[in-house]
Amino acid sequence: MKWQPLALALIPTVIAWGITVWQVRKQRVRQVEDVYVARYWSLLDRFTLATLRGTDGHEPGTEEQTAIRLYFRLCEDEADLRAQGWVSDDTWRVWRDAMTAALRRQPFARMWAETLADATAGRDYSFVHLRALSDDPGYDPPASGFLRRCLRRAPWRRAVRRGR
């Protein structure tokens, strides 16, 4: 019966340790997301108003075309981070919707077609995730690790997302 006080002391310690690990991880996820948001805004600063509006007939200059291609790479990186568990569900939904909208708006749509042709010819990234997203607006990159896959499919996570 000497083990009971030890067990009673260990249970709260383990719970506190688990909460601390969860909070630190959540903070690191937010830090990673903040870095990518800053990269997004720096690219956005390189676009003209006509590009941001999707004005018909607007042909972006060379620097702006480079920025658009860098945006596609940023999107691919963000999707890869999502697969690695470094992007939260809420952030992914916002980013995914923005990516999908951009891929369908000119001049991004035209540049995406050119980028796909270059990727297929081996002159650019393969854009595995962005290709999937362009085909399926609800795409969520599969989790890269066993534990992440299990956690993402956990029934309690789906209930939380639905607001229960």
Side-chain angles (χ1 to χ4, degrees):
M1 294 294 182
K2 292 180 181 181
W3 59 271
Q4 288 176 340
L6 179 63
L8 290 175
L10 280 177
I11 290 172
T13 303
V14 170
I15 290 171
W17 177 81
I19 290 171
T20 302
V21 168
W22 175 75
Q23 288 174 336
V24 167
R25 172 145 173 67
K26 189 173 181 177
Q27 182 180 5
R28 287 189 63 203
V29 165
R30 290 290 179 220
Q31 289 172 342
V32 168
E33 291 172 351
D34 287 345
V35 167
Y36 277 79
V37 167
R39 285 181 60 193
Y40 169 77
W41 282 107
S42 70
L43 282 174
L44 215 59
D45 289 341
R46 297 169 65 179
F47 298 141
T48 63
L49 184 58
T51 295
L52 292 173
R53 283 186 168 169
T55 305
D56 288 335
H58 169 67
E59 185 59 40
T62 305
E63 185 177 324
E64 206 169 9
Q65 289 180 16
T66 301
I68 290 171
R69 286 195 179 227
L70 289 173
Y71 171 72
F72 295 150
R73 289 183 180 194
L74 174 70
C75 293
E76 185 70 15
D77 287 350
E78 289 171 347
D80 193 48
L81 284 172
R82 170 68 176 160
Q84 295 173 33
W86 290 108
V87 176
S88 67
D89 293 344
D90 292 336
T91 300
W92 175 248
R93 281 191 290 276
V94 171
W95 286 1
R96 179 187 61 203
D97 293 347
M99 290 176 204
T100 302
L103 289 173
R104 287 170 172 55
R105 189 177 66 244
Q106 294 301 334
F108 291 88
R110 185 173 58 257
M111 291 292 303
W112 176 237
E114 292 174 17
T115 302
L116 280 178
D118 287 345
T120 301
R123 293 186 299 265
D124 207 336
Y125 284 15
S126 59
F127 294 103
V128 173
H129 297 298
L130 208 50
R131 285 176 192 254
L133 182 63
S134 68
D135 293 338
D136 174 15
Y139 175 71
D140 191 358
S144 59
F146 174 75
L147 183 58
R148 285 190 185 100
R149 283 192 302 273
C150 291
L151 288 173
R152 203 182 280 180
R153 287 190 294 236
W156 60 268
R157 285 184 59 116
R158 287 190 294 274
V160 167
R161 274 186 253 145
R162 286 188 294 240
R164 292 184 184 169

